[in-house]
Amino acid sequence: MSFTVIDRNRLAFQVSQQIIDLIQKGVYAPGDRLPSERELAEKMGVSRGSVREALSTLQAAGIVVTKTGAGTFVNDRPLSKKAEMKALANALSDESPIDILEVREAIETKAAWLAAENRTDEDIENMRRALEEQRNIIEQQGDPRPADMAFHLAVAQATHNSVLIEIMKVIQSLMQRTFWELLMNNLARKVQHDEDSRLQYIKEHEEILRAIVEQNAEQAQKLMFDHITNVTNNISKLTLSS
């Protein structure tokens, strides 16, 4: 068993992350008792307050259980990616990316359907422009995320549903916070030299746009569902790093 001393930035996040990593590696199995707050604080070079905050986020996510007078124990149920994401997001006072993607699935699949029914020539041009910008940025090995978000917002705007558009703006604001950015940076490093992966989202966007242009609402909805599912799967496979 080994802990490493961590820096002073995002302390609760990094403490939570290190405990989760040790659970994933089997150093602490389901039902095992964790070291005391004092021991954890000494091993990682942080305050007991930071350890206490981290354990609180892990407990809220169902990863550990605190028993009065006995200590803190790893939960008996297997560690899930959703619980991991929830705990680490809470440690940064952010929303879990899995929660965001679940809402995106509900909202954006409906948006794709409505966009296919209601799009105008101007809407189509806006989506094409965002898609072309994304393609150009990828060819230059730049960061395509702003153009990616512009495409999804253009799809929402093509619905001509003012409430849906505002909801989409709120969702995208959550996607600019610390934890989502951390995940996207990790994902970008993962696919930096993988051209197929970098172009996959472009292909998916092209297919969604084609269905919207053809006013095939059912196909547009299905393709958007598949796209969000692909994003969720890619994020769920990430190994997080601070």
Side-chain angles (χ1 to χ4, degrees), residues 105-117 152 155-159 164 168 212 220-221 224:
E105 179 187 305
I107 296 299
E108 294 196 56
T109 53
K110 184 63 175 181
W113 178 289
L114 292 174
E117 290 189 330
H152 284 272
V155 172
Q157 290 169 332
T159 69
L164 191 150
M168 192 64 204
I212 291 174
Q221 184 180 49
M224 183 64 80

Side-chain angles (χ1 to χ4, degrees), residues 133-151:
E133 181 180 359
Q134 188 180 10
R135 186 181 295 106
N136 290 338
I137 291 172
I138 287 178
E139 289 175 355
Q140 298 168 16
Q141 296 189 334
D143 182 358
R145 283 175 288 177
D148 178 282
M149 293 176 70
F151 176 82

Side-chain angles (χ1 to χ4, degrees), residues 12 16 52-63 83 86-88 90-91:
S16 301
R52 191 174 301 115
E53 183 181 352
L55 291 176
S56 178
T57 64
L58 294 174
Q59 182 171 348
I63 296 174
K86 182 178 181 63
L88 295 176
N90 285 346

Side-chain angles (χ1 to χ4, degrees), residues 32-84:
D32 283 354
R33 182 183 181 278
L34 295 179
S36 68
E37 287 183 4
R38 178 182 58 79
E39 291 174 301
L40 289 172
E42 290 176 355
K43 290 176 183 294
M44 288 186 273
V46 299
S47 69
R48 290 182 65 176
S50 296
V51 171
R52 191 174 301 115
E53 183 181 352
L55 291 176
S56 178
T57 64
L58 294 174
Q59 182 171 348
I63 296 174
V64 302
V65 178
T66 299
K67 301 178 181 179
T68 303
T72 301
F73 297 79
V74 179
N75 203 322
D76 288 334
R77 65 173 178 258
L79 175 62
S80 69
K81 179 61 70 170
K82 184 169 184 176
E84 175 190 349

Side-chain angles (χ1 to χ4, degrees), residues 1-55:
M1 177 184 71
S2 64
F3 290 90
T4 58
V5 176
I6 59 183
D7 64 38
R8 298 298 171 186
N9 297 319
R10 305 171 181 169
L11 289 176
F13 171 80
Q14 292 180 79
V15 172
S16 301
Q17 186 178 31
Q18 195 167 156
I19 293 172
I20 287 172
D21 184 56
L22 291 170
I23 294 172
Q24 289 175 328
K25 291 177 178 177
V27 175
Y28 294 106
D32 283 354
R33 182 183 181 278
L34 295 179
S36 68
E37 287 183 4
R38 178 182 58 79
E39 291 174 301
L40 289 172
E42 290 176 355
K43 290 176 183 294
M44 288 186 273
V46 299
S47 69
R48 290 182 65 176
S50 296
V51 171
R52 191 174 301 115
E53 183 181 352
L55 291 176

Side-chain angles (χ1 to χ4, degrees), residues 120-137:
T120 64
D121 289 344
E122 182 179 359
D123 294 325
I124 293 171
E125 180 58 30
N126 289 338
M127 287 181 278
R128 282 178 173 158
R129 188 181 303 113
L131 185 55
E132 184 62 28
E133 181 180 359
Q134 188 180 10
R135 186 181 295 106
N136 290 338
I137 291 172

